[in-house]
């Protein structure tokens, strides 16, 4: 008998509120783990007696007579010699793909094996590469390199992701080593962009020269460095062991090596991760108060800078337990928003982060990957027990969470002052896809003016360090390539996001990136039909599967692929991404979306409270009432509001006019009023002759 979360095998949690928990001191060999630390005693809230096992143990002691259940990926990791084998051999074979074990391991190196799902018959394999750019920072040299690689080895486009990184699609296996080594040699890395370890650390992309913003970026850099794998597997595979490590701040090295409270595997080449790394992916974001450009509550750890009245950073509030992924028809899987853990002084942040990671490493589930994210550990334990266990690794109590102001979504689109005399320009990129004329022009501008750039968590791009004298020529060049000032972009597009989905994502159930342009146009048409203003908007996010890469569960209107050409509809998120949406309807065919959109937006227009967002409206009305309105919907009551005139006397006339209107891409009401105006004008002209 074992439970999903816990400590070493054979450690029993009794009914006494004092429990005895052992934890690890280090890997002694590839076949065993030594549990040499003295057990410590501390109070932990609990619900019932439990038998707990150490899920991060690679192999149970040889005296054990029972086999610990572990997922296949855990076995691949254990047998890989720290994420090397068999990937190092598979990439050298003549086949266009790699085997199952290597497919899992290459994720740790920042790549996924894919194939074109639009093609029938023989699978044409390729690889997607994802970079690691803490805070979205991209040096000029790296941008130009990625631009070149997309043309030479990819599909001719670059994809900006929701975690501030590049994705490069379509790389063939025979070119992998060339592409990887080129990225490494040009100030880039893909190490840890995928896999069971810390992913890219988010931070506000705006290059604002303020103490808070610069401190947030510096903290994101340090956390990323702290949790970067140390065993050298990445460089062994792609550059034959040549190291390209940049110098690390001494505080990062000190925090990584510190084992005062048993966070480390001291004899392992991976002091924090050990042989097994983490149970699943791990996501961290850093921001400043009010700035929720990073979707702070959707991360495993959310870190918020806390400053004094003079704007001097003093410490950090920490949220834990956010995460988007779920599985359809399994209610035991769910999206979750982070909750407050506590506050730490600024000198302690790396130790606090490491303690949280160690807790998830040692207690997260490794038997079923659907339940391996830290949000499930916290949901099972409760935040109080989780905090108590983390404090044992941290070595002190967390202080009380500091009060924070209301969160705001900040896009940083358009032109802004950096605060150092230079400007930055935020560019809206639909779904983060850079290609065609846009790609060519961006390349020319970034190269000509030697600009560094930053990628935002909303799949947009920021040009940094722009001199005032460059603003006009840059604006002109960008506009000619379709990169417009945000006031010329449909407000629906400005906040919308979609994941890539088809044709290359192996998890996609239906369209997302390729489908969202049409969906947004249809939403705009519904807005016009029900009388909503052009300036009004809702946050719309679309994903091709329930894993939630575009964070649809925080949207006011989320569409999650749940079948061929069908979506699960989620409602109730907020414009500032602080409230979780809920499932409203299942299996809505793409061609039937208006049947749901029309009544929802019609009644939002007519029954909302002053300045009430669509997400707040749907929550206040309640889903039962909204479903009733959708089911009874027969179309908006058309009227000329100013004079209360109704152009249709009966439903049959309306339906006939609607059919004619569709041929002209108009609403029935628009066409009817046009016909009436023309008739009246003709009559008046006749009288005047």
């Amino acid at each position: 008998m074992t439970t999903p979360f816990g400590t070493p095998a054979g450690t029993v949690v009794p009914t006494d509120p004092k429990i005895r928990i052992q934890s690890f001191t280090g890997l002694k060999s590839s076949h065993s783990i030594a549990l040499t630390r003295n057990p410590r005693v501390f109070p932990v809230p609990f619900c019932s007696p439990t038998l707990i096992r150490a899920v991060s143990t690679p192999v149970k002691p040889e005296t054990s007579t029972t086999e610990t259940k572990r997922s296949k990926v855990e076995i691949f990791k254990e047998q890989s010699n720290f994420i090397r084998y068999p990937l190092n051999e598979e990439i050298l074979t003549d086949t266009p793909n790699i085997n199952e074990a290597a497919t899992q391991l290459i994720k740790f190196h920042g790549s996924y094996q894919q194939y074109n799902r639009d093609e029938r018959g023989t699978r044409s394999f390729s690889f997607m590469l994802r970079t690691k750019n803490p805070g979205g920072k991209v040096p000029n040299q790296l941008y130009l390199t990625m631009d070149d690689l997309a043309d030479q080895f990819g599909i001719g486009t670059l994809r900006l992701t929701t975690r501030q990184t590049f994705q490069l699609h379509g790389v063939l296996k025979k070119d992998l080593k060339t592409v990887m080594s080129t990225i490494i040699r040009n100030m880039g890395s893909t190490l840890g962009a995928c896999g069971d370890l810390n992913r890219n650390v988010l931070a506000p992309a705006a290059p604002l020269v303020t103490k808070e913003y610069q401190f947030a970026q510096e903290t994101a850099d340090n956390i990323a460095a702290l949790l970067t794998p140390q065993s050298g597997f990445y460089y062994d595979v792609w550059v034959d062991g040549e190291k390209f490590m940049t110098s690390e701040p001494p505080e990062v090295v000190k925090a990584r090596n510190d084992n005062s409270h048993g966070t480390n595997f001291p004899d392992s080449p991976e002091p924090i991760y050990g042989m097994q790394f983490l149970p699943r992916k791990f996501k961290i974001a850093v921001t400043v108060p009010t700035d929720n450009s990073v979707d702070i509550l959707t991360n495993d750890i959310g870190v918020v800078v806390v400053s004094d009245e003079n704007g001097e950073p003093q410490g950090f509030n920490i949220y834990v337990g956010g995460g988007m992924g779920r599985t359809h028809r399994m209610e035991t899987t769910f999206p979750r928003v982070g909750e407050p853990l506590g506050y730490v002084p600024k000198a302690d942040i790396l130790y606090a982060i490491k303690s949280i990671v160690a807790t998830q490493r040692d207690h997260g589930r490794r038997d079923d990957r659907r339940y391996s994210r830290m949000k499930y550990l916290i949901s099972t334990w409760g935040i109080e027990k989780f905090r108590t266990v983390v404090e044992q690794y941290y070595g002190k109590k967390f202080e009380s969470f500091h009060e924070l102001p209301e969160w705001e979504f900040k896009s940083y689109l358009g032109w802004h002052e950096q605060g150092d005399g230079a400007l930055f320009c935020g560019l809206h990129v639909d779904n983060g896809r850079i290609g065609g004329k846009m790609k060519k022009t961006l390349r020319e501008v970034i190269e000509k003016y030697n600009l560094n750039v930053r990628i935002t968590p909303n799949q947009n791009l920021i040009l940094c360090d722009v001199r005032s004298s460059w603003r006009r020529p840059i604006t002109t060049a960008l506009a000619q390539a379709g990169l417009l000032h945000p006031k010329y972009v449909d407000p629906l597009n400005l906040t919308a996001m979609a994941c890539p989905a088809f044709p290359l994502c192996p998890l996609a159930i239906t369209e997302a990136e390729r489908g969202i342009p049409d969906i947004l146009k249809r939403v705009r048409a519904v807005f016009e039909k029900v009388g909503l203003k052009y300036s009004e908007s809702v946050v719309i996010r679309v994903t091709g599967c329930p894993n939630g890469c575009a964070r649809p569960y925080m949207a006011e209107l989320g569409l999650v692929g749940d079948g061929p050409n069908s979506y699960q509809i989620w409602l109730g998120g907020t414009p500032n991404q602080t409230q979780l949406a809920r499932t409203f309807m299942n299996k809505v065919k793409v061609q039937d979306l208006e049947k749901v959109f029309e009544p929802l937006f019609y009644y939002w227009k007519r029954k909302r409270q002053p300045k009430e967002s669509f997400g707040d409206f749907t929550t206040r009305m309640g889903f039962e009432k909204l479903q009733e309105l959708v089911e009874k919907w027969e179309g908006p009551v058309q009227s000329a509001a100013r004079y209360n005139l109704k152009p249709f006397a009966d439903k049959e006339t309306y339906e006939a006019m609607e059919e004619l209107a569709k041929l002209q891409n108009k609403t029935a009401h628009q066409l009817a009023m046009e016909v009436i105006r023309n008739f009246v004008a003709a009559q008046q002209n006749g009288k005047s002759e």
Side-chain angles (χ1 to χ4, degrees):
M1 291 177 56
T2 61
T3 60
F5 311 106
T7 51
T11 301
V12 178
V13 179
T15 54
D16 187 272
K18 297 279 185 180
I19 68 172
R20 192 172 287 267
I21 291 186
Q22 295 177 320
S23 45
F24 306 109
T25 57
L27 295 173
K28 296 303 181 184
S29 72
S30 61
H31 302 291
S32 65
I33 273 196
L35 306 175
T36 57
R37 280 206 314 244
N38 291 326
R40 293 162 291 148
V41 180
F42 55 94
V44 176
F46 63 93
C47 299
S48 62
T50 336
L51 184 64
I52 304 180
R53 66 181 171 84
V55 290
S56 51
T57 308
V59 179
K60 290 199 70 173
E62 294 185 14
T63 55
S64 172
T65 57
T66 60
E67 186 67 30
T68 302
K69 182 183 177 185
R70 291 181 297 156
S71 71
K72 186 183 293 186
V73 176
E74 290 299 312
I75 297 168
F76 289 153
K77 288 187 285 187
E78 174 190 322
Q79 297 173 348
S80 71
N81 185 21
F82 292 95
I83 319 301
R84 292 175 174 85
Y85 175 82
L87 176 62
N88 54 352
E89 296 181 357
E90 283 289 306
I91 61 172
L92 301 178
T93 65
D94 293 332
T95 60
N97 61 312
I98 56 179
N99 68 18
E100 184 182 6
T103 299
Q104 293 299 329
L105 298 180
I106 201 171
K107 296 177 184 179
F108 291 76
H109 297 253
S111 180
Y112 283 87
Q113 181 170 266
Q114 302 179 330
Y115 64 93
N116 191 334
R117 297 175 65 188
D118 283 347
E119 298 177 358
R120 295 293 177 261
T122 304
R123 291 183 177 182
S124 55
F125 288 97
S126 66
F127 292 79
M128 179 272 284
L129 273 62
R130 183 186 296 155
T131 59
K132 197 94 170 277
N133 310 91
K137 292 190 297 185
V138 182
N140 176 270
Q141 179 181 339
L142 178 59
Y143 185 91
L144 299 179
T145 297
M146 296 302 296
D147 183 81
D148 287 338
L149 291 173
D151 291 337
Q152 294 171 19
F153 301 102
I155 59 174
T157 66
L158 284 172
R159 184 64 151 66
L160 311 178
T161 78
T162 58
R163 291 202 70 79
Q164 299 183 275
T165 66
F166 287 115
Q167 283 185 178
L168 183 63
H169 291 92
V171 178
L172 299 180
K173 176 181 157 183
K174 68 182 179 63
D175 298 323
L176 268 176
K177 198 161 185 176
T178 298
V179 175
M180 286 284 203
S181 62
T182 302
I183 291 172
I184 293 168
R185 296 177 193 280
N186 286 276
M187 306 176 69
S189 176
T190 63
L191 172 59
C194 323
D196 299 343
L197 70 177
N198 179 54
R199 303 288 186 89
N200 197 51
V201 180
L202 303 189
L208 295 169
V209 184
T210 70
K211 290 180 181 177
E212 281 192 322
Y213 274 89
Q214 290 184 315
F215 190 56
Q217 186 71 58
E218 177 188 319
T219 301
D221 290 341
N222 286 348
I223 292 172
L226 172 75
L227 299 177
T228 295
Q230 299 297 299
S231 55
F233 62 82
Y234 180 65
Y235 300 100
D236 285 350
V237 172
W238 305 113
V239 288
D240 301 321
E242 185 178 353
K243 294 293 176 67
F244 286 80
M245 302 292 285
T246 56
S247 60
E248 295 180 316
E251 62 267 29
V252 172
V253 178
K254 182 181 178 184
R256 182 189 297 122
N257 293 336
D258 179 75
N259 196 31
S260 303
H261 305 285
T263 52
N264 286 23
F265 296 91
D267 297 332
S268 172
E270 291 292 350
I272 295 176
Y273 292 127
M275 181 185 291
Q276 299 299 114
F277 288 77
L278 299 181
R280 277 296 304 274
K281 66 180 78 170
F282 200 88
K283 297 181 177 181
I284 301 175
V286 184
T287 192
V288 303
T290 76
D291 188 337
N292 198 21
S293 60
V294 299
D295 256 349
I296 190 73
L297 300 179
T298 64
N299 291 270
D300 291 272
I301 303 177
V303 179
V304 186
V305 176
V306 175
S307 301
D308 61 19
E309 60 275 9
N310 299 317
E312 195 67 46
Q314 299 298 307
F316 301 90
N317 275 349
I318 298 177
Y319 293 96
V320 291
M324 292 287 95
R326 48 179 285 276
T327 303
H328 281 315
R329 293 174 294 282
M330 290 190 66
E331 297 303 314
T332 50
T333 66
F334 45 81
R336 189 180 192 275
V337 294
E339 58 185 306
L341 180 70
Y343 169 89
V344 298
K346 61 183 180 182
D348 288 353
I349 185 60
L350 298 181
Y351 300 89
I353 293 292
K354 195 167 86 162
S355 301
I356 297 167
V357 170
T359 301
Q360 162 66 354
R361 176 197 70 200
D362 291 350
H363 304 294
R365 284 183 67 166
R366 293 180 184 260
D367 61 327
D368 188 335
R369 291 177 64 80
R370 287 172 296 188
Y371 304 103
S372 292
R373 290 290 298 276
M374 193 171 76
K375 63 182 177 180
Y376 296 113
L377 176 62
I378 295 174
S379 293
T380 300
W381 274 5
I383 191 64
E384 295 301 329
K385 175 177 176 178
F386 182 82
R387 181 185 294 113
T388 301
V389 174
V390 172
E391 285 171 347
Q392 301 309 303
Y393 291 105
Y394 179 38
K396 59 181 78 173
K397 295 282 188 182
F398 286 100
E399 298 177 34
S400 297
F401 203 79
H402 287 220
E403 187 175 349
L404 293 172
E406 190 72 21
W407 291 107
E408 301 171 23
F409 169 71
K410 299 188 178 184
S411 70
Y412 298 110
L413 297 176
W415 287 95
H416 303 268
E417 298 276 352
Q418 288 185 178
D420 59 356
L423 304 172
F424 72 88
C425 181
L427 303 172
H428 172 71
V429 180
D430 275 335
N431 306 305
R433 183 69 66 179
I434 297 176
K437 188 174 182 181
M438 178 200 300
K439 180 174 176 294
K440 181 175 182 291
T441 301
L442 275 173
R443 165 71 184 237
E444 291 170 352
V445 168
I446 290 168
E447 189 168 31
K448 178 178 179 179
Y449 297 99
N450 195 31
L451 300 178
N452 298 319
V453 305
R454 295 191 184 185
I455 302 168
T456 82
N458 233 52
Q459 303 172 313
N460 296 319
L461 194 70
I462 292 177
L463 306 181
C464 306
D465 307 314
V466 181
R467 295 180 188 174
S468 297
S469 60
W470 299 344
R471 176 172 176 170
R472 184 183 296 274
I474 287 177
T475 300
T476 301
L478 294 174
Q480 290 172 349
L483 288 160
L484 305 174
H485 189 281
K487 69 182 178 182
Y488 300 119
V489 180
D490 190 321
L492 289 170
N493 290 62
L494 290 178
T495 56
M497 290 201 298
C499 68
F502 287 128
L504 294 175
C505 179
L507 302 175
I509 302 171
T510 194
E511 297 285 1
E513 181 184 338
R514 296 194 304 195
I516 197 173
D518 181 62
I519 289 171
L520 292 177
K521 288 176 185 175
R522 290 163 64 187
V523 171
R524 175 56 64 196
V526 171
F527 268 36
E528 292 173 358
K529 185 173 182 178
V530 303
L532 286 164
K533 297 177 182 177
Y534 179 79
S535 59
E536 297 184 273
S537 188
V538 299
V539 177
I540 300 173
R541 295 175 175 178
V542 182
T543 58
C545 82
N547 284 333
C549 293
R551 302 189 287 273
Y553 309 118
M554 302 301 286
E556 293 182 275
L557 172 60
L559 303 181
V560 180
D562 65 353
N565 298 311
S566 92
Y567 294 97
Q568 190 178 59
I569 295 180
W570 288 66
L571 300 175
T574 53
N576 64 352
Q577 281 85 63
T578 57
Q579 181 172 292
L580 201 61
R582 293 182 294 130
T583 312
F584 178 63
M585 295 184 74
N586 295 299
K587 297 288 184 182
V588 179
K589 288 295 183 182
V590 68
Q591 64 268 23
D592 295 330
L593 289 173
E594 280 84 353
K595 294 177 182 177
V596 181
F597 292 168
E598 274 190 21
L600 292 177
F601 292 135
Y602 177 84
Y603 286 106
W604 177 44
K605 169 76 165 59
R606 282 153 183 77
K607 295 183 179 292
R608 61 185 167 180
Q609 296 174 350
K611 296 185 178 180
E612 186 175 39
S613 69
F614 178 69
D616 285 337
F617 164 78
T618 58
T619 299
R620 179 176 60 82
M621 289 289 288
F623 283 12
E624 187 174 335
K625 176 64 176 176
L626 292 176
Q627 283 163 349
E628 180 185 331
L629 295 173
V630 169
E631 289 168 6
K632 293 181 178 180
W633 181 248
E634 294 185 355
V637 177
Q638 298 290 350
S639 65
R642 187 175 175 188
Y643 298 103
N644 197 28
L645 300 176
K646 296 182 179 180
F648 304 106
D650 57 80
K651 186 176 180 182
E652 289 73 19
T653 304
Y654 169 78
E655 289 175 344
M657 185 66 77
E658 187 177 40
E659 287 300 313
L660 291 171
K662 285 180 180 177
L663 298 175
Q664 301 182 37
N665 199 26
K666 298 174 182 175
T667 65
H669 185 265
Q670 288 171 332
L671 182 58
M673 296 309 296
E674 190 176 300
V675 170
I676 293 169
R677 278 195 296 269
N678 291 340
F679 176 78
V680 171
Q683 294 300 309
Q684 290 174 337
N685 290 337
K687 287 179 182 178
S688 63
E689 288 175 355

